[in-house]
Amino acid sequence: MKNFLRIFLITSLVFGLSVKSNSADKIEYLTTDWSFKGLFGKFDRGALQRGYQVYTEVCSSCHSMKYLSYRNLAEKGGPEFSIAEAKAIAASFEVTDGPNDDGEMFTRPGKLSDKFVMPYDNVKAAQAANGGAYPPDMSVLVKARGGGVDYIYSLLQGYEDPPVGMSLDDGVYYNKYMYGNKIKMANQLSDGLVEYGDGTTASVEQMSKDVTTFLMWAAEPHLESRHQMGFKAIVYLIILTILVYFSMKKIWSRIETEV
Amino acid sequence: MSDHEYTPKSKFGKWFNDRLPLLTLASHLTDYPTPKNLNYWWTFGGILTFCLITQIVTGLVLAMHYIAHADMAFDSVEHIMRNVNYGWLIRYIHANGASMFFLAVYIHIFRSLFYGSYKSPREIIWIIGIIIYLLMMAAAFLGYVLPWGQMSFWGATVITNLFSAIPLVGEGIVTWLWGGYSVDNPTLTRFFTLHYLIPFLILGLVVLHIWALHVPGNNNPVGIDIKKPSKDTVPFHPYIVIKDGFALLMFMIVFAFFVFYTPNILGHADNYIEANPLVTPAHIVPEWYLLPFYAILRSVPDKLLGVVAMLSAILILAALPWLDTSKIRSAVFRPLYRQFYWILVADVLILGYVGAMPAEGLYLLVARVATAYYFLHFLVVLPILGYKEKTLPVPLSITEPVLGGSPNLAMAKNKENFKD
């Protein structure tokens, strides 16, 4: 045991030092009080609904969300729009369907079962419209970036003038949180850009928080039920473990060996 | 196993058992005499069986919804996560289950190393174990490719490319593995097939592993041969069953924490980006459980020798029963080996750490030193130690140290070590 502790201390010291020296050149992301973190973390309904509004009015003109359907907007654990509201949202989009009996494609208003309408027909079209850069699909974006929600939240607020001496090509912008600091997306958010229905002030910070919360839900739509089930499962396991522990003690008391 | 006498009580039972002795087997398994001084490090065999069954069951359900096609694999995984009832739960159990499986197997292996469980007469158990471990690594690697994310694709590219280091036929072998000239749909479909096959091979080997174990019986913390059944043993049921059950529940709490609260922490964020042959990720890293071997691979400047070093690092374990020349099994009675054992543990942890870092500068230097030491431990330290080491006196039976009634003074002094 003594040896074990000695080695453990030495290795953790070595690890600690190297991790620290490694993180010295890493930037700290901005963060905020995310409601969905922690053992009982839940989404803030208001933030999800506002976040959806920011996504539709700002992001969705370039970024697709191909794994989401309009029905998801009314599902439990999500923004929880009423069915009527979700139907109205779906109907506000034109969806290409078909072919019909004449072999023609046609458009109709969206239904709950439809996937979110894509801004571009294909990746090439998206690239052509965005100076060669493909605006990534946002369905799992939060999980696909190292810093997660903090990274997205920071990036949206990370636009600055480039440092002196740095020249940027046309259509390239400086962002202090972007990998390599060069990003092809211009700064999108400005104070008062959207008008929130619930009266919340649409500051850049607020919109960033709301839309990031929405993206987190989009990437993990079952997060709330996961947290709820996890708590129950772990409490159940702990109780069972205690019961089994005492049963074990009782059984082993028949012989003189300790367990 | 054959020395087990058992006669079923009922007439039908007897009739059946004469034709297929399943009841004899069941009776053998429940009565199996187990050393009573086994500590909690011995519970990981049961935990590993649980891990294997969990992976097979969750894997079967996932395979019902997964589509092994380069254009649809990523979508089908997202379909599982979103639309399949409790699909997220099944997938997160399967993905984190792989990590838990390796966590348990590493504890199991290092327990063997500490208590000398690989030594005569248990060499075959040990070698089967090493084959299981190799198959586990293959299954884990193949499984990681299936979601067809960026790390899946590039990990597959890097690992399959290792075969190109083989002289003359290397390039041909890689093309054959890929089923084409790059990692693509044919690669994915064959990886899926193999990923489905390997767990059942492992299951078969686990049966052999346990069968081979039941011939000499369990090793134990004191590492001496014991009479069976005797005062030193307890029947497997209920004593060991309840103890394994208790340890398994503790393990499941840790498992559940990962699944429900940090399901993605052990994976790489890039694997949530769909595979793109035109974009290479900044750092291609394998899963954490392969990192020590990845570090060994990269610490050798020559590609072929790197591959050889990596494979040797695993295969050298199979020769361990003959490299370790000491007659004493348990490290409890080997004061010097005990020191080297912990240095080896630290060495492997360091290799794992540098495996995750870019192979340059100080990291590369540390990786090289650690790699050299790894081989030194098995090829030089262990053989010499067996002859040079002054071991402590070994008790005659388990009961002796357990009851503390040792007449031997040196034994009594070292009593605290038994709790290790």
Side-chain angles (χ1 to χ4, degrees):
Chain A
M1 200 61 201
K2 251 160 65 193
N3 278 318
F4 177 77
L5 282 178
R6 201 185 306 152
I7 303 283
F8 181 77
L9 281 176
I10 292 168
T11 39
S12 25
L13 198 73
V14 172
F15 277 32
L17 284 176
S18 43
V19 169
K20 211 176 162 201
S21 63
N22 191 43
S23 61
D25 47 58
K26 263 191 187 159
I27 22 160
E28 287 286 316
Y29 293 128
L30 303 175
T31 189
T32 183
D33 52 333
W34 302 114
S35 64
F36 47 81
K37 298 228 161 153
L39 290 190
F40 304 103
K42 279 182 173 184
F43 290 114
D44 171 354
R45 275 336 126 205
L48 283 182
Q49 298 198 355
R50 290 192 299 271
Y52 172 70
Q53 187 185 347
V54 176
Y55 167 72
T56 340
E57 292 180 15
V58 186
C59 323
S60 72
S61 53
C62 297
H63 291 277
S64 60
M65 271 191 140
K66 60 179 176 178
Y67 296 121
L68 273 84
S69 305
Y70 294 110
R71 65 180 162 85
N72 296 138
L73 293 172
E75 278 167 6
K76 206 172 167 292
E80 296 187 5
F81 287 106
S82 67
I83 299 281
E85 283 169 330
K87 275 186 177 162
I89 288 171
S92 68
F93 293 93
E94 287 277 290
V95 173
T96 309
D97 201 348
N100 61 15
D101 292 344
D102 301 324
E104 311 270 330
M105 300 302 279
F106 60 94
T107 59
R108 57 163 175 80
K111 292 187 286 195
L112 284 181
S113 56
D114 286 319
K115 289 264 185 323
F116 276 25
V117 173
M118 308 268 272
Y120 301 103
D121 288 338
N122 51 57
V123 173
K124 287 283 176 209
Q127 282 173 331
N130 290 283
Y134 171 62
D137 184 88
M138 281 184 164
S139 313
V140 280
L141 193 67
V142 166
K143 291 200 281 187
R145 294 294 179 274
V149 279
D150 289 341
Y151 169 75
I152 306 282
Y153 179 69
S154 306
L155 185 93
L156 288 170
Q157 304 175 64
Y159 286 90
E160 276 179 357
D161 289 328
V164 190
M166 187 189 223
S167 66
L168 294 170
D169 292 339
D170 214 22
V172 177
Y173 307 89
Y174 183 84
N175 188 308
K176 65 173 168 175
Y177 298 108
M178 180 75 183
Y179 186 72
N181 296 124
K182 288 177 184 174
I183 185 167
K184 287 211 170 178
M185 177 176 84
N187 187 10
Q188 297 295 325
L189 300 178
S190 55
D191 287 333
L193 180 69
V194 298
E195 202 175 311
Y196 282 141
D198 62 0
T200 309
T201 316
S203 63
V204 169
E205 202 183 329
Q206 184 66 41
M207 285 186 287
S208 305
K209 185 178 174 182
D210 292 343
V211 81
T212 308
T213 306
F214 176 72
L215 291 179
M216 183 67 206
W217 166 75
E220 278 285 312
H222 299 292
L223 178 137
E224 285 189 11
S225 50
R226 173 155 62 77
H227 284 177
Q228 283 161 13
M229 190 193 285
F231 183 72
K232 286 183 212 156
I234 288 174
V235 167
Y236 173 84
L237 282 172
I238 289 174
I239 294 173
L240 189 61
T241 308
I242 293 170
L243 292 177
V244 169
Y245 174 76
F246 285 112
S247 314
M248 178 178 75
K249 279 285 183 196
K250 179 122 174 85
I251 288 172
W252 277 76
S253 69
R254 296 175 206 161
I255 49 175
E256 64 285 341
T257 312
E258 286 210 11
V259 275
Chain B
M1 226 166 158
S2 51
D3 57 3
H4 198 86
E5 296 291 337
Y6 175 75
T7 322
K9 284 192 187 78
S10 74
K11 234 179 142 184
F12 174 73
K14 199 176 171 318
W15 178 88
F16 185 88
N17 203 51
D18 285 345
R19 282 149 185 83
L20 180 66
L22 273 186
L23 295 168
T24 305
L25 177 67
S27 151
H28 162 80
L29 291 176
T30 44
D31 295 348
Y32 173 65
T34 317
K36 65 179 175 184
N37 63 336
L38 297 189
N39 56 34
Y40 284 100
W41 301 117
W42 258 268
T43 58
F44 282 85
I47 287 170
L48 283 162
T49 315
F50 164 81
C51 288
L52 178 62
I53 302 297
T54 307
Q55 291 304 90
I56 289 179
V57 172
T58 51
L60 280 176
V61 179
L62 289 175
M64 293 172 193
H65 301 281
Y66 171 77
I67 302 167
H69 188 286
D71 295 338
M72 285 178 272
F74 192 86
D75 291 355
S76 72
V77 170
E78 275 308 311
H79 167 70
I80 290 169
M81 292 296 290
R82 289 159 194 276
N83 303 326
V84 173
N85 289 332
Y86 297 104
W88 58 269
L89 177 62
I90 305 279
R91 174 167 177 257
Y92 278 156
I93 290 176
H94 196 74
N96 287 284
S99 281
M100 300 313 289
F101 205 155
F102 275 95
L103 177 68
V105 91
Y106 282 128
I107 295 175
H108 195 62
I109 291 173
F110 275 100
R111 189 267 293 152
S112 256
L113 293 181
F114 189 83
Y115 294 108
S117 301
Y118 48 83
K119 289 186 195 182
S120 171
R122 298 185 180 81
E123 300 95 324
I124 300 291
I125 313 174
W126 171 255
I127 289 170
I128 293 172
I130 298 299
I131 300 171
I132 293 174
Y133 174 50
L134 270 173
L135 285 177
M136 275 176 65
M137 289 200 277
F141 160 69
L142 294 169
Y144 196 59
V145 176
L146 302 186
W148 212 239
Q150 273 289 68
M151 276 299 153
S152 301
F153 182 89
W154 290 99
T157 305
V158 169
I159 300 294
T160 46
N161 255 316
L162 294 179
F163 290 89
S164 71
I166 303 168
L168 301 174
V169 290
E171 295 292 339
I173 288 178
V174 173
T175 309
W176 176 71
L177 285 174
W178 285 342
Y181 295 101
S182 67
V183 173
D184 206 341
N185 196 50
T187 326
L188 178 59
T189 50
R190 66 189 55 188
F191 276 23
F192 178 56
T193 312
L194 294 173
H195 183 68
Y196 209 119
L197 169 72
I198 289 176
F200 296 98
L201 298 181
I202 294 179
L203 189 63
L205 284 165
V206 166
V207 171
L208 293 183
H209 193 64
I210 296 172
W211 186 2
L213 169 71
H214 280 227
V215 177
N218 290 68
N219 183 27
N220 63 75
V222 183
I224 52 167
D225 292 324
I226 51 169
K227 277 201 218 87
K228 295 169 296 173
S230 71
K231 259 177 82 182
D232 284 346
T233 65
V234 288
F236 190 78
H237 184 75
Y239 296 97
I240 304 299
V241 168
I242 189 100
K243 193 172 170 181
D244 279 0
F246 170 66
L248 174 61
L249 283 165
M250 301 271 276
F251 183 80
M252 283 169 80
I253 293 173
V254 179
F255 196 157
F257 183 82
F258 276 104
V259 168
F260 291 108
Y261 291 108
T262 55
N264 291 307
I265 202 165
L266 298 169
H268 196 290
D270 278 11
N271 228 27
Y272 278 106
I273 304 172
E274 195 169 355
N276 185 347
L278 302 176
V279 180
T280 319
H283 298 289
I284 302 175
V285 277
E287 294 280 75
W288 68 267
Y289 39 79
L290 302 177
L291 287 173
F293 300 106
Y294 193 53
I296 292 175
L297 170 77
R298 295 192 307 177
S299 66
V300 182
D302 181 74
K303 188 175 176 183
L304 177 61
L305 290 178
V307 175
V308 170
M310 182 176 69
L311 282 177
S312 317
I314 305 165
L315 294 179
I316 204 169
L317 293 171
L320 186 57
W322 297 276
L323 288 172
D324 185 347
T325 49
S326 175
K327 291 280 174 282
I328 307 294
R329 291 200 192 98
S330 174
V332 172
F333 304 104
R334 301 184 61 191
L336 272 179
Y337 173 70
R338 209 157 59 213
Q339 310 279 343
F340 283 110
Y341 171 85
W342 288 113
I343 296 173
L344 179 74
V345 173
D347 187 60
V348 171
L349 289 175
I350 289 168
L351 277 173
Y353 176 73
V354 291
M357 295 293 139
E360 58 197 27
L362 185 63
Y363 294 125
L364 190 58
L365 183 71
V366 173
R368 284 182 175 158
V369 173
T371 301
Y373 182 77
Y374 181 89
F375 287 104
L376 204 70
H377 175 88
F378 289 107
L379 293 175
V380 181
V381 175
L382 284 188
I384 294 177
L385 213 54
Y387 297 108
K388 299 278 173 197
E389 188 176 26
K390 226 175 149 252
T391 55
L392 303 175
V394 175
L396 295 171
S397 78
I398 288 176
T399 327
E400 191 185 18
V402 165
L403 294 181
S406 169
N408 189 323
L409 262 177
M411 279 295 314
K413 260 187 211 158
N414 283 290
K415 237 173 73 181
E416 54 161 324
N417 291 327
F418 298 123
K419 284 169 195 149
D420 252 349

